[in-house]
């Protein structure tokens, strides 16, 4: 699809914002105004070639500024990441420059923390890797490559060597059994006990956002919200004809036409008067032909510039002659916004996901809200590691991942729902399901591209 008018100007604006990222982190920027459908537009999207430069600049920023701090925090002297072609460690693509589609044969990355706190970045690879890595070895065969890795580690004699093995975090468990055994075989036996799980470092690396990423993120989220606004309009939906599946495919194909990768198939469903939404139902919604008077919901996610989004919004399909959304639905969405405030008001650095969930539930109960909370970090992947704040099928304690503490400069999908009775539907429940992207800057939560405070209306 052709780029929208003013695309070249907007491209330049995005690139400039990234260049100035270190000077304008989102935590110091003015909050983005809350916006509904009319305030969101789809902006320009960089071509795959144009994405390489900002992606690599953000990678170098992360390696230069975040990694030394995070390795010190995890008390690791060395971090070893080993990947094989088509069986890459989940963190591999977050560490390597673009364009890169796979590890070449076997790729070994070694991060060695120096006495001055800096981290030396080394590659041991048959094919020279290049910046931002220093080549410690290249060429030769696989046996020689493994021997070079063992010799390098032994010569540097690190006290604690982080490897990606984990019982708790899937994303920190990327070192396969075979690679683990091969690594041990090339190390002196005295170093075997120095191999320790790097899961704390991996989780922090995946959840922590750099200033450049935080500068780019609002634009990325606005792309997702803009496509939702398009989908929830008369441009796409003809009541009595269009199905929920039609709208879901419109969203997916619209993303792809813009060169944006969806990370899951969009979901669209409806609720309507006369179709019960039980008090104890975890999910209310059906699929089929959309009719006047329906309430619509969508759940969408895309990834762009290596950063992912997760968004849920609601729409109302106007009946003939209706000039505004029914008051009962407006009140229900307002309850959803109050639940969001109850949740984000509990974000305090150091609190665990389980503690935030419990505090949110107490506040929601105090306000008389019938709410469910299931929020999660977002970043390089849609369901990123970090503090789990409830799950849709578990509104109690989540052992392990729910015990992870909240850190500054991390991004979340503020996700959950409320049930409210709608007088215009004879007191029937409507379930308002919301999910908006926000950053916690260490002091407060800021929505990256606003949040839904008015209904999308299909006329």
């Amino acid at each position: 699809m052709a780029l929208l008018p003013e695309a070249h100007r907007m491209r330049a604006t995005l690139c400039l914002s990234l260049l100035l990222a270190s000077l304008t982190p989102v935590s110091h920027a003015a909050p983005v105004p809350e916006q509904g459908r009319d305030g969101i537009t789809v902006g320009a999207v960089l071509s795959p070639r144009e994405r390489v430069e900002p992606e690599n600049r953000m990678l170098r920023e992360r390696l230069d500024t975040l990694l030394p701090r995070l390795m010190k925090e995890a008390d690791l002297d060395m971090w070893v990441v080993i990947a094989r072609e088509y069986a890459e460690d989940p963190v591999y693509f977050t560490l390597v420059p673009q364009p890169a589609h796979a590890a070449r044969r076997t790729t070994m990355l070694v991060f060695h923390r120096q006495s001055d706190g800096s981290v030396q970045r080394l590659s041991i690879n048959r094919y020279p890797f290049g910046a931002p890595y220093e080549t410690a070895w290249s060429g030769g065969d696989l046996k020689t490559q493994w021997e070079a890795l063992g010799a390098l580690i032994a010569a540097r004699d690190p006290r604690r060597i982080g490897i990606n093995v984990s019982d708790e975090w899937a994303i920190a468990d990327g070192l396969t059994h075979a690679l683990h055994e091969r690594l041990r075989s090339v190390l002196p036996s005295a170093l075997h006990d120095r191999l320790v799980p790097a899961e704390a470092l991996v989780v922090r690396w995946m959840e922590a956002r750099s200033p450049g990423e935080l500068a780019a993120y609002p634009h990325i989220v606005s792309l997702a919200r803009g496509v939702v606004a398009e989908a929830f309009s008369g441009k796409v939906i003809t009541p009595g004809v269009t199905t929920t599946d039609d709208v879901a495919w419109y969203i997916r194909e619209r993303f792809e036409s813009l060169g944006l990768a969806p990370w899951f198939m969009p979901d669209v469903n409806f609720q309507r008067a006369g179709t019960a939404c039980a008090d104890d139902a975890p999910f209310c919604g059906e699929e089929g032909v959309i009719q006047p008077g329906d309430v619509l919901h969508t759940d969408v996610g895309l990834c762009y510039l290596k950063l992912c989004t997760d968004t849920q919004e609601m729409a109302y399909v106007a009946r003939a002659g209706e000039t505004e959304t029914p008051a009962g639905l407006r009140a229900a969405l307002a309850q959803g916004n109050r639940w969001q405030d109850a949740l984000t008001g509990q974000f305090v650095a150091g609190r665990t996901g389980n503690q935030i969930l419990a505090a949110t539930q107490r506040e929601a109960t105090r306000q008389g809200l019938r709410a469910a909370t299931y929020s999660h970090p977002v970043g390089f992947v849609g369901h990123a590691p970090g503090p789990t704040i409830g799950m849709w099928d578990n509104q109690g304690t989540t052992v392990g991942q729910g015990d992870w503490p909240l850190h500054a400069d991390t991004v979340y999908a503020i996700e959950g729902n409320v049930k409210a009775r709608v007088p215009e539907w004879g007191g029937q429940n409507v379930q308002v399901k919301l999910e908006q992207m926000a950053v916690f800057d260490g002091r407060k939560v800021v929505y990256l591209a606003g949040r839904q405070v008015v209904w999308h209306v299909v006329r």
Side-chain angles (χ1 to χ4, degrees):
M1 180 172 183
L3 290 171
L4 298 176
E6 299 188 308
H8 295 295
R9 179 187 62 80
M10 296 182 72
R11 281 181 180 175
T13 300
L14 174 59
C15 291
L16 179 61
S17 72
L18 292 171
L19 284 168
L20 297 177
S22 62
L23 301 179
T24 55
V26 72
S27 59
H28 295 158
V32 178
E34 295 177 343
Q35 300 176 57
R37 178 173 67 88
D38 294 336
I40 298 295
T41 58
V42 177
V45 177
L46 300 177
S47 71
R49 182 176 183 178
E50 292 169 319
R51 297 175 200 183
V52 169
E53 193 278 330
E55 287 181 0
N56 288 347
R57 183 158 20 86
M58 287 188 285
L59 169 62
R60 185 176 286 277
E61 177 187 48
R62 291 180 61 84
L63 292 171
D64 286 345
T65 63
L66 285 180
L67 188 58
R69 173 167 59 86
L70 298 181
M71 285 188 68
K72 180 180 180 181
E73 182 182 298
D75 190 25
L76 292 179
D77 303 296
M78 182 174 284
W79 184 27
V80 179
V81 178
I82 307 172
R84 284 192 287 192
E85 193 169 9
Y86 307 131
E88 289 82 8
D89 187 302
V91 302
Y92 176 76
F93 289 108
T94 73
L95 292 167
V96 299
Q98 290 299 307
H101 298 286
R104 298 294 301 274
R105 305 289 178 87
T106 298
T107 297
M108 302 169 177
L109 304 177
V110 176
F111 304 91
H112 185 208
R113 189 157 61 97
Q114 307 295 294
S115 59
D116 64 0
S118 64
V119 172
Q120 187 177 22
R121 306 185 291 259
L122 303 168
S123 72
I124 298 174
N125 194 20
R126 293 180 66 186
Y127 304 93
F129 207 76
Y133 292 89
E134 176 185 340
T135 299
W137 176 94
S138 64
D141 59 21
L142 184 61
K143 180 177 182 294
T144 307
Q145 182 182 14
W146 276 102
E147 291 172 348
L149 175 65
L152 183 147
I153 295 173
R156 296 184 177 231
D157 195 30
R159 180 178 53 91
R160 284 170 51 87
I161 308 163
I163 56 174
N164 293 350
V165 294
S166 174
D167 290 331
E168 182 65 42
W169 303 91
I171 209 159
D173 194 35
L175 185 67
T176 67
H177 176 74
L179 293 177
H180 190 188
E181 291 297 300
R182 190 72 180 268
L183 174 61
R184 288 173 58 88
S185 74
V186 298
L187 290 179
S189 58
L191 296 185
H192 289 183
D193 290 343
R194 301 188 196 181
L195 296 173
V196 298
E199 60 183 9
L201 171 61
V202 172
V203 173
R204 290 291 289 126
W205 171 259
M206 295 294 289
E207 73 166 353
R209 302 272 66 84
S210 69
E213 290 168 334
L214 291 177
Y217 232 143
H219 173 73
I220 299 168
V221 177
S222 73
L223 293 173
R225 294 202 66 199
V227 171
V228 169
E230 288 182 8
F232 280 165
S233 73
K235 172 184 176 181
V236 175
I237 297 173
T238 300
V241 176
T242 307
T243 68
T244 52
D245 201 42
D246 292 333
V247 181
W249 275 102
Y250 174 86
I251 294 170
R252 175 170 175 167
E253 291 173 351
R254 180 71 165 111
F255 284 160
E256 291 175 343
S257 74
L258 290 166
L260 302 170
W263 65 271
F264 63 91
M265 179 66 195
D267 178 70
V268 178
N269 55 82
F270 67 75
Q271 299 171 69
R272 64 175 52 134
T275 303
C277 174
D279 288 347
D280 61 353
F283 176 83
C284 297
E286 299 185 11
E287 298 178 352
V289 178
I290 296 168
Q291 300 290 350
D294 283 353
V295 162
L296 304 180
H297 160 261
T298 190
D299 187 356
V300 305
L302 63 85
C303 298
Y304 175 51
L305 298 179
K306 289 190 176 182
L307 299 172
C308 298
T309 71
D310 205 354
T311 304
Q312 295 182 48
E313 299 198 9
M314 307 291 295
Y316 175 68
V317 184
R319 300 178 184 274
E322 279 187 315
T323 59
E324 61 182 1
T325 305
L329 293 180
R330 298 198 305 271
L333 179 56
Q335 287 192 33
N337 294 145
R338 285 165 51 201
W339 159 78
Q340 289 173 325
D341 294 341
L343 169 58
T344 59
Q346 309 309 320
F347 275 51
V348 176
R351 280 188 181 175
T352 67
N354 290 326
Q355 291 171 332
I356 294 170
L357 174 65
T360 301
Q361 291 171 328
R362 289 193 295 269
E363 178 60 19
T365 299
R366 187 189 71 78
Q367 294 190 36
L369 301 174
R370 292 184 291 152
T373 300
Y374 34 95
S375 297
H376 59 88
V378 186
F380 291 129
V381 292
H383 291 156
T388 294
I389 307 173
M391 304 182 75
W392 72 267
D393 55 351
N394 177 21
Q395 288 294 283
T397 296
T398 299
V399 177
Q401 297 184 12
D403 296 319
W404 189 264
L406 183 68
H407 292 89
D409 298 327
T410 47
V411 170
Y412 299 86
I414 304 300
E415 181 182 10
N417 72 71
V418 297
K419 286 195 180 83
R421 301 199 182 280
V422 182
E424 295 88 346
W425 288 10
Q428 176 185 316
N429 282 332
V430 67
Q431 187 179 45
V432 176
K433 294 164 280 190
L434 300 174
E435 186 172 20
Q436 301 287 0
M437 298 279 295
V439 58
F440 175 64
D441 67 8
R443 298 179 296 108
K444 62 184 182 301
V445 175
V446 178
Y447 287 97
L448 288 167
R451 62 174 177 171
Q452 184 178 14
V453 296
V454 297
W455 288 82
H456 296 283
V457 179
V458 180
R459 301 188 186 279

